[in-house]
Amino acid sequence: MTPTLATLPPLATGGPVTVHWFRRDLRLSDHAALAAAQAQRRPVLGLFVYDRAILDLLPHEDRRVVFLHRQVAALKTALQALGSDLIVINGTVAAAWERLLATYPIAAVTTVRDYEPYATERDRWVGERLAQQGIGFQQVKDQVIFDTGEVLTGSGKPYQVFTPYKRAWLARLTDADLTPWALDTHPEAWARFAQPAPYPTLAELGFAQVPDLAPPPTTTDALLAHYGQTRNFPGQAGTSRLGVHLRFGTLSLRELARRALSLSEAYLNELIWRDFYQMILHHFPHVVGQAFKPTYDAIPWRDDPEGLARWKAGATGYPIVDAGMRELSATGYQHNRVRMITASFLTKHLLIDWRLGEAYFAEKLLDFELASNNGGWQWAAGTGVDAAPYFRIFNPAEQTRKFDPQLRYIRQWVPEFESLAYPKPIIDHREARERALATYKGVLGP
């Protein structure tokens, strides 16, 4: 059902405005695109669109929508404190912009550049529509440190291997790249409205209220300083869990990178990986649905609905795998080390297509981000950039000994693992390893 667009409140002051279209940048601090909007010296009108092209694909109960709804409400409250408000539209992007163009004297539009295929096509359409009205559309780098053309090889091509990309990324980095953007908080810098702008409820958006399990958008210096030593142990609180806040821009990537630069090389390395995967998605969009390395598309994945179902349910008979899948189902989060273990198990032990695992994580992860999710799954399957070689097949028992030696994580999520109620392993590790090696070699050769 197409939602009815709420009536937009009239402006309280005359004159043209610059619209800033919030998407994955839900904050009013250290914001490059908002700074660009304010540099145009017009009142800035904040906009958020609940895009039905995205929402209509999601389940009725979705933790990410609950988190998003809360964060957009907080942004709206923050703008109201400045004497302004946030225009929120529940509808298609096309309908939203037709309504905006008919209602407000828009002189320019700013937004944060997005690298996902749907987003780039959407923004191409919006840019063309605005150009028909003589309105500029400025897309600003903000959700990465370096943009699509800023870290390239000597021949001007995108990197396809992480380590040389990282070296070039670090060599290019200056203080200016991490300098926060200051924003004008004076009321005259923001559009004012004659009445409050409406805000749809979750029910009006078509979603149910479920527990909001997102962590706060903060982490301690101590955690960052010890991240390199603690990050691989799922039974410890050794990771920041800030992925959801980077996904929706509720904290500044630059601020986090500044802290990591002084506190943790290992944490900064993860932020560079995030940039890298965003650039891979931009330069090689075929990775959505296809292997980065085309040869790997010939792998004869097994059609195994029962195995896939048991993997999803955390009932494979491998405790470290099952703990991860149960954590994901219960919380919308899965520890990063365990993500590698569970993905390796699906693709190597069960020989099930990585795309099915990628889709399941996309449905469940609170911090889902297309570029990183795709990159991680292709890494595990051996099909992507910097992939784990096909002959690297994680041994769940060995991973447990190394990273959950006291079984804290397993006992938390699989308390029955030592009882007769716990299922036997779905497949023997040695048998699975030999089958995977034979299958990959059959396609790739020795």
Side-chain angles (χ1 to χ4, degrees):
M1 181 178 69
T2 302
T4 301
L5 297 182
T7 301
L8 302 181
L11 289 169
T13 54
V17 296
T18 295
V19 171
H20 176 71
W21 183 9
F22 288 94
R23 284 119 52 124
R24 297 178 53 176
D25 53 320
L26 304 178
R27 67 185 189 280
L28 295 181
S29 62
D30 187 12
H31 197 306
L34 266 181
Q38 291 188 336
Q40 300 187 27
R41 303 299 179 189
R42 302 183 199 93
V44 174
L45 184 155
L47 165 71
F48 183 84
V49 178
Y50 279 108
D51 184 357
R52 299 315 307 189
I54 297 173
L55 295 186
D56 289 346
L57 300 176
L58 301 178
H60 180 59
E61 295 184 354
D62 194 297
R63 293 185 182 96
R64 292 162 298 191
V65 177
V66 173
F67 173 81
L68 178 64
H69 190 262
R70 175 166 64 89
Q71 296 300 327
V72 173
L75 179 64
K76 180 177 174 68
T77 299
L79 283 167
Q80 288 172 338
L82 295 172
S84 187
D85 207 337
L86 181 68
I87 297 299
V88 178
I89 297 178
N90 174 28
T92 66
V93 166
W97 278 104
E98 294 305 328
R99 176 67 65 88
L100 288 159
L101 291 170
T103 305
Y104 299 121
I106 301 172
V109 177
T110 62
T111 198
V112 169
R113 184 175 293 113
D114 199 319
Y115 308 95
E116 297 184 2
Y118 164 73
T120 56
E121 178 59 25
R122 172 199 64 199
D123 291 349
R124 181 197 61 76
W125 181 89
V126 171
E128 291 178 355
R129 179 66 185 89
L130 293 174
Q132 293 172 3
Q133 303 291 113
I135 299 171
F137 184 47
Q138 183 179 2
Q139 299 181 61
V140 181
K141 175 186 72 172
D142 190 82
Q143 61 164 308
V144 295
I145 300 300
F146 291 122
D147 216 335
T148 55
E150 292 184 318
V151 180
L152 300 171
T153 67
S155 60
K157 296 181 179 179
Y159 283 97
Q160 300 182 43
V161 178
F162 176 72
T163 299
Y165 174 86
K166 174 185 173 180
R167 285 196 295 264
W169 193 102
L170 290 169
R172 196 190 191 290
L173 186 69
T174 67
D175 289 343
D177 296 307
L178 304 182
T179 300
W181 291 88
L183 299 178
D184 188 348
T185 58
H186 291 92
E188 60 269 18
W190 304 90
R192 296 195 299 278
F193 299 91
Q195 61 197 52
Y199 187 54
T201 65
L202 273 172
E204 289 169 338
L205 293 174
F207 292 88
Q209 180 68 56
V210 294
D212 183 354
L213 302 179
T218 58
T219 192
T220 65
D221 285 354
L223 186 144
L224 291 180
H226 294 98
Y227 178 80
Q229 293 76 49
T230 62
R231 61 187 290 263
N232 279 311
F233 298 92
Q236 302 179 24
T239 61
S240 71
R241 298 190 61 172
L242 293 178
V244 63
H245 295 287
L246 292 175
R247 168 67 177 86
F248 290 104
T250 48
L251 59 71
S252 163
L253 173 62
R254 284 175 294 276
E255 176 188 355
L256 197 56
R258 283 196 305 274
R259 294 176 65 198
L261 191 62
S262 63
L263 292 169
S264 175
E265 179 182 348
Y267 197 92
L268 183 64
N269 196 62
E270 294 302 306
L271 298 181
I272 301 173
W273 267 108
R274 183 174 176 275
D275 264 21
F276 180 56
Y277 279 144
Q278 294 276 2
M279 296 306 102
I280 290 296
L281 180 63
H282 170 79
H283 290 293
F284 305 98
H286 74 273
V287 298
V288 180
Q290 296 176 280
F292 177 80
K293 301 171 183 174
T295 304
Y296 283 76
D297 278 328
I299 293 174
W301 302 108
R302 295 175 59 248
D303 181 18
D304 183 6
E306 180 185 353
L308 179 62
R310 288 183 62 176
W311 175 81
K312 290 179 178 180
T316 68
Y318 284 87
I320 191 71
V321 174
D322 294 343
M325 299 310 295
R326 294 183 192 186
E327 179 189 32
L328 176 62
S329 180
T331 69
Y333 172 77
Q334 191 180 98
H335 187 277
N336 189 60
R337 164 57 57 175
V338 182
R339 294 187 197 197
M340 291 188 280
I341 297 170
T342 58
S344 175
F345 189 87
L346 185 74
T347 56
K348 303 290 180 62
H349 279 68
L350 300 184
L351 272 178
I352 291 176
D353 195 332
W354 60 269
R355 282 161 282 232
L356 297 176
E358 180 196 25
Y360 187 69
F361 272 34
E363 176 187 335
K364 293 293 184 180
L365 281 173
L366 185 61
D367 62 8
F368 166 68
E369 199 165 43
L370 175 58
S372 296
N373 191 49
N374 179 275
W377 272 97
Q378 295 223 40
W379 182 91
T383 63
V385 293
D386 275 77
Y390 74 84
F391 50 80
R392 181 185 296 167
I393 300 170
F394 283 12
N395 181 332
E398 184 62 26
Q399 291 291 308
T400 300
R401 282 191 290 271
K402 291 173 68 173
F403 301 116
D404 193 27
Q406 296 177 315
L407 305 180
R408 292 176 182 171
Y409 182 70
I410 286 173
R411 291 188 192 283
Q412 178 182 0
W413 294 106
V414 193
E416 81 282 13
F417 80 99
E418 293 176 307
S419 75
L420 294 176
Y422 188 60
K424 296 184 181 303
I426 192 171
I427 189 171
D428 176 75
H429 168 68
R430 179 175 295 182
E431 176 187 338
R433 184 176 186 278
E434 291 174 354
R435 181 175 68 180
L437 290 175
T439 300
Y440 274 73
K441 284 180 181 178
V443 172
L444 307 173

